Protein backbone atom coordinates (compact mmCIF):
# COMPACT_ATOMS: atom_id res chain seq x y z
CA UNK A 1 0.00 0.00 0.00
CA UNK A 2 2.94 2.36 0.57
CA UNK A 3 3.60 2.23 -3.16
CA UNK A 4 0.08 3.53 -3.81
CA UNK A 5 0.26 6.50 -1.41
CA UNK A 6 1.69 8.88 -4.07
CA UNK A 7 -1.18 7.91 -6.39
CA UNK A 8 -3.80 8.53 -3.68
CA UNK A 9 -2.19 11.86 -2.81
CA UNK A 10 -2.09 12.84 -6.50
CA UNK A 11 -5.78 11.94 -6.94
CA UNK A 12 -6.83 14.01 -3.92
CA UNK A 13 -4.83 17.00 -5.15
CA UNK A 14 -6.41 16.63 -8.60
CA UNK A 15 -9.91 16.62 -7.10
CA UNK A 16 -9.07 19.75 -5.09
CA UNK A 17 -7.71 21.54 -8.17
CA UNK A 18 -10.95 20.77 -10.02
CA UNK A 19 -12.80 23.29 -7.84
CA UNK A 20 -10.80 26.43 -8.83
CA UNK A 21 -10.46 25.10 -12.39
CA UNK A 22 -14.24 24.88 -12.83
CA UNK A 23 -14.73 28.27 -11.18
CA UNK A 24 -12.26 29.83 -13.64
CA UNK A 25 -13.94 27.99 -16.52
CA UNK A 26 -17.40 29.19 -15.46
CA UNK A 27 -16.33 32.83 -15.47
CA UNK A 28 -14.29 32.60 -18.68
CA UNK A 29 -16.38 30.31 -20.90
CA UNK A 30 -18.76 33.05 -22.11
CA UNK A 31 -16.21 35.85 -22.19
CA UNK A 32 -13.10 34.11 -23.59
CA UNK A 33 -13.52 30.47 -24.64
CA UNK A 34 -16.76 30.55 -26.64
CA UNK A 35 -16.03 33.92 -28.35
CA UNK A 36 -12.64 32.55 -29.43
CA UNK A 37 -14.24 29.39 -30.74
CA UNK A 38 -16.95 31.40 -32.52
CA UNK A 39 -14.38 33.42 -34.48
CA UNK A 40 -12.57 30.31 -35.75
CA UNK A 41 -15.73 28.26 -36.39
CA UNK A 42 -17.34 31.25 -38.12
CA UNK A 43 -14.41 31.65 -40.50
CA UNK A 44 -14.42 27.94 -41.30
CA UNK A 45 -18.18 27.95 -41.92
CA UNK A 46 -18.14 31.03 -44.16
CA UNK A 47 -15.34 29.56 -46.28
CA UNK A 48 -17.01 26.14 -46.59
CA UNK A 49 -20.52 27.27 -47.51
CA UNK A 50 -19.43 30.15 -49.80
CA UNK A 51 -22.62 31.12 -51.67
CA UNK A 52 -24.77 30.42 -48.62
CA UNK A 53 -22.93 33.39 -47.03
CA UNK A 54 -23.00 31.86 -43.56
CA UNK A 55 -22.33 34.33 -40.76
CA UNK A 56 -21.96 33.16 -37.17
CA UNK A 57 -23.01 35.55 -34.41
CA UNK A 58 -23.25 35.52 -30.63
CA UNK A 59 -26.65 35.23 -29.00
CA UNK A 60 -27.99 35.43 -25.47
CA UNK A 61 -27.85 32.17 -23.61
CA UNK A 62 -26.02 28.99 -24.46
CA UNK A 63 -26.25 29.35 -28.25
CA UNK A 64 -25.04 31.03 -31.45
CA UNK A 65 -27.22 32.17 -34.31
CA UNK A 66 -26.32 31.66 -37.95
CA UNK A 67 -27.36 34.05 -40.70
CA UNK A 68 -27.58 32.55 -44.17
CA UNK A 69 -28.65 33.57 -47.66
CA UNK A 70 -30.79 30.46 -47.98
CA UNK A 71 -34.28 31.65 -48.91
CA UNK A 72 -37.28 30.33 -47.05
CA UNK A 73 -40.03 28.67 -49.08
CA UNK A 74 -42.54 31.43 -48.25
CA UNK A 75 -41.35 34.84 -49.41
CA UNK A 76 -42.83 38.33 -48.85
CA UNK A 77 -45.09 39.69 -51.57
CA UNK A 78 -42.79 42.68 -51.85
CA UNK A 79 -40.10 41.42 -54.26
CA UNK A 80 -37.61 43.97 -52.93
CA UNK A 81 -37.51 42.04 -49.66
CA UNK A 82 -36.18 38.54 -49.06
CA UNK A 83 -36.84 36.19 -46.17
CA UNK A 84 -33.70 34.22 -45.27
CA UNK A 85 -33.06 31.36 -42.91
CA UNK A 86 -31.61 32.16 -39.48
CA UNK A 87 -30.56 29.15 -37.39
CA UNK A 88 -29.81 28.86 -33.71
CA UNK A 89 -27.06 26.42 -32.73
CA UNK A 90 -27.07 25.04 -29.19
CA UNK A 91 -26.02 23.81 -26.66
CA UNK A 92 -22.45 25.08 -26.62
CA UNK A 93 -21.05 25.19 -23.07
CA UNK A 94 -21.23 21.42 -22.67
CA UNK A 95 -18.59 21.02 -25.40
CA UNK A 96 -16.03 23.01 -23.40
CA UNK A 97 -15.99 21.00 -20.15
CA UNK A 98 -12.74 19.33 -21.20
CA UNK A 99 -10.86 22.59 -20.58
CA UNK A 100 -11.18 22.80 -16.75
CA UNK A 101 -10.47 19.09 -16.35
CA UNK A 102 -7.29 19.48 -18.39
CA UNK A 103 -6.31 22.55 -16.34
CA UNK A 104 -6.65 20.55 -13.14
CA UNK A 105 -4.62 17.64 -14.55
CA UNK A 106 -1.70 19.88 -15.48
CA UNK A 107 -1.87 22.08 -12.37
CA UNK A 108 -1.42 19.07 -10.12
CA UNK A 109 1.57 17.87 -12.17
CA UNK A 110 4.86 19.46 -11.05
CA UNK A 111 6.76 19.58 -14.37
CA UNK A 112 6.40 21.99 -17.33
CA UNK A 113 3.00 23.27 -16.27
CA UNK A 114 2.91 26.36 -18.50
CA UNK A 115 4.21 24.61 -21.66
CA UNK A 116 1.88 21.65 -21.15
CA UNK A 117 -1.08 23.94 -20.54
CA UNK A 118 -0.44 25.87 -23.76
CA UNK A 119 -0.01 22.81 -25.98
CA UNK A 120 -2.71 20.74 -24.27
CA UNK A 121 -5.29 23.54 -24.43
CA UNK A 122 -4.42 24.13 -28.09
CA UNK A 123 -5.23 20.49 -28.86
CA UNK A 124 -8.54 20.63 -26.95
CA UNK A 125 -9.37 23.93 -28.66
CA UNK A 126 -8.78 22.33 -32.08
CA UNK A 127 -10.94 19.31 -31.24
CA UNK A 128 -13.72 21.54 -29.88
CA UNK A 129 -13.53 23.72 -33.00
CA UNK A 130 -14.06 20.70 -35.24
CA UNK A 131 -16.97 19.50 -33.10
CA UNK A 132 -18.71 22.89 -33.17
CA UNK A 133 -18.04 23.33 -36.90
CA UNK A 134 -19.73 19.98 -37.54
CA UNK A 135 -22.63 21.16 -35.37
CA UNK A 136 -22.99 24.34 -37.44
CA UNK A 137 -22.58 22.44 -40.71
CA UNK A 138 -25.26 19.93 -39.75
CA UNK A 139 -27.67 22.71 -38.74
CA UNK A 140 -27.25 24.60 -42.04
CA UNK A 141 -27.15 21.55 -44.32
CA UNK A 142 -30.30 20.11 -42.72
CA UNK A 143 -32.33 22.98 -44.20
CA UNK A 144 -31.75 21.89 -47.80
CA UNK A 145 -31.75 18.19 -46.95
CA UNK A 146 -35.24 18.55 -45.49
CA UNK A 147 -36.46 20.64 -48.41
CA UNK A 148 -36.63 23.88 -46.43
CA UNK A 149 -34.72 25.91 -49.02
CA UNK A 150 -34.29 25.69 -52.77
CA UNK A 151 -32.47 28.90 -53.62
CA UNK A 152 -29.64 31.12 -52.41
CA UNK A 153 -29.98 34.87 -52.78
CA UNK A 154 -26.59 36.48 -53.30
CA UNK A 155 -25.93 40.01 -54.62
CA UNK A 156 -29.28 40.21 -56.39
CA UNK A 157 -29.05 36.80 -58.06
CA UNK A 158 -30.70 33.47 -57.30
CA UNK A 159 -28.63 30.28 -57.22
CA UNK A 160 -29.84 26.72 -56.66
CA UNK A 161 -29.09 25.62 -53.11
CA UNK A 162 -26.86 22.54 -52.77
CA UNK A 163 -28.80 19.59 -51.42
CA UNK A 164 -26.95 17.47 -48.88
CA UNK A 165 -28.06 13.85 -48.61
CA UNK A 166 -29.66 12.64 -45.39
CA UNK A 167 -27.21 9.72 -45.21
CA UNK A 168 -24.27 12.17 -45.26
CA UNK A 169 -25.86 14.25 -42.52
CA UNK A 170 -26.55 11.15 -40.44
CA UNK A 171 -22.92 10.06 -40.76
CA UNK A 172 -21.61 13.52 -39.83
CA UNK A 173 -23.97 13.63 -36.87
CA UNK A 174 -22.48 10.40 -35.51
CA UNK A 175 -18.93 11.62 -36.18
CA UNK A 176 -19.70 14.89 -34.37
CA UNK A 177 -21.09 12.99 -31.38
CA UNK A 178 -18.06 10.69 -31.15
CA UNK A 179 -15.64 13.62 -31.43
CA UNK A 180 -17.61 15.48 -28.75
CA UNK A 181 -17.25 12.57 -26.32
CA UNK A 182 -13.58 12.24 -27.22
CA UNK A 183 -12.80 15.96 -26.87
CA UNK A 184 -14.66 16.36 -23.57
CA UNK A 185 -13.56 13.07 -22.04
CA UNK A 186 -11.00 10.63 -23.43
CA UNK A 187 -8.73 13.23 -25.01
CA UNK A 188 -7.98 14.91 -21.67
CA UNK A 189 -6.25 11.99 -19.89
CA UNK A 190 -4.59 10.91 -23.15
CA UNK A 191 -3.06 14.38 -23.63
CA UNK A 192 -2.00 14.54 -19.98
CA UNK A 193 -0.40 11.09 -20.13
CA UNK A 194 1.44 11.91 -23.39
CA UNK A 195 3.18 14.80 -21.63
CA UNK A 196 3.75 13.06 -18.30
CA UNK A 197 4.74 9.44 -19.02
CA UNK A 198 7.85 9.64 -16.84
CA UNK A 199 5.82 11.14 -13.99
CA UNK A 200 3.22 8.36 -14.28
CA UNK A 201 5.94 5.69 -14.08
CA UNK A 202 7.22 7.26 -10.87
CA UNK A 203 3.69 7.67 -9.56
CA UNK A 204 2.82 3.99 -10.07
CA UNK A 205 5.95 1.78 -9.91
CA UNK A 206 5.66 -1.57 -11.68
CA UNK A 207 6.33 -3.54 -8.54
CA UNK A 208 3.26 -2.05 -6.88
CA UNK A 209 1.07 -3.97 -9.30
CA UNK A 210 2.86 -7.21 -8.34
CA UNK A 211 2.23 -6.50 -4.65
CA UNK A 212 -1.48 -5.84 -5.25
CA UNK A 213 -1.91 -9.07 -7.21
Amino acid sequence: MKQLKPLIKFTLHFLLWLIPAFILWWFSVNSVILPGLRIVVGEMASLWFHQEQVELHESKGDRWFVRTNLLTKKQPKDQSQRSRWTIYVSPLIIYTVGFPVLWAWFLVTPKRRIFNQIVGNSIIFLLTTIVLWLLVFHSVATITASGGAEFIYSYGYLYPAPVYSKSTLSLLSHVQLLLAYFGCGLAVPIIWYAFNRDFVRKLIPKRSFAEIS
Side-chain angles (χ1 to χ4, degrees):
M1 283 297 291
K2 283 185 178 181
Q3 298 290 343
L4 291 177
K5 282 186 178 180
L7 176 60
I8 296 171
K9 185 179 179 181
F10 173 83
T11 304
L12 290 174
H13 284 175
F14 166 70
L15 293 175
L16 288 173
W17 271 112
L18 277 176
I19 299 172
F22 268 95
I23 292 174
L24 177 61
W25 167 78
W26 182 254
F27 284 103
S28 64
V29 66
N30 286 314
S31 59
V32 179
I33 300 174
L34 284 178
L37 287 165
R38 181 183 59 80
I39 292 171
V40 180
V41 174
E43 286 298 319
M44 291 171 61
S46 63
L47 289 173
W48 176 269
F49 285 105
H50 187 53
Q51 284 185 342
E52 285 92 327
Q53 297 283 314
V54 169
E55 294 179 0
L56 197 58
H57 298 271
E58 289 184 22
S59 180
K60 290 183 179 179
D62 184 24
R63 62 182 183 174
W64 292 332
F65 76 88
V66 186
R67 273 196 190 135
T68 77
N69 275 342
L70 290 167
L71 296 180
T72 60
K73 284 292 188 69
K74 293 183 178 180
Q75 290 293 309
K77 292 182 179 180
D78 185 356
Q79 304 242 341
S80 64
Q81 298 180 355
R82 300 286 178 177
S83 180
R84 299 171 175 84
W85 277 94
T86 297
I87 311 152
Y88 287 95
V89 179
S90 63
L92 300 173
I93 292 178
I94 191 172
Y95 295 108
T96 66
V97 294
F99 286 98
V101 179
L102 187 69
W103 298 343
W105 275 103
F106 282 134
L107 285 170
V108 77
T109 310
K111 293 184 178 180
R112 298 192 304 173
R113 290 178 179 175
I114 297 176
F115 174 79
N116 291 346
Q117 287 282 15
I118 293 172
V119 179
N121 278 277
S122 298
I123 296 171
I124 292 295
F125 187 91
L126 177 61
L127 287 172
T128 309
T129 298
I130 295 171
V131 169
L132 292 178
W133 179 83
L134 286 172
L135 188 64
V136 171
F137 175 85
H138 188 273
S139 300
V140 175
T142 298
I143 295 173
T144 57
S146 62
E150 296 178 355
F151 296 100
I152 300 167
Y153 183 76
S154 181
Y155 301 106
Y157 294 94
L158 291 177
Y159 301 93
V163 179
Y164 300 93
S165 67
K166 291 183 178 180
S167 58
T168 299
L169 293 184
S170 178
L171 175 62
L172 288 177
S173 179
H174 285 89
V175 171
Q176 189 264 347
L177 186 61
L178 288 173
L179 282 176
Y181 280 120
F182 181 72
C184 296
L186 288 175
V188 175
I190 291 173
I191 293 169
W192 178 81
Y193 176 76
F195 286 102
N196 296 282
R197 284 174 290 182
D198 293 336
F199 177 74
V200 173
R201 292 191 189 100
K202 293 177 182 178
L203 194 65
I204 313 175
K206 290 182 180 180
R207 58 183 178 180
S208 65
F209 291 103
E211 289 176 5
I212 294 171
S213 60

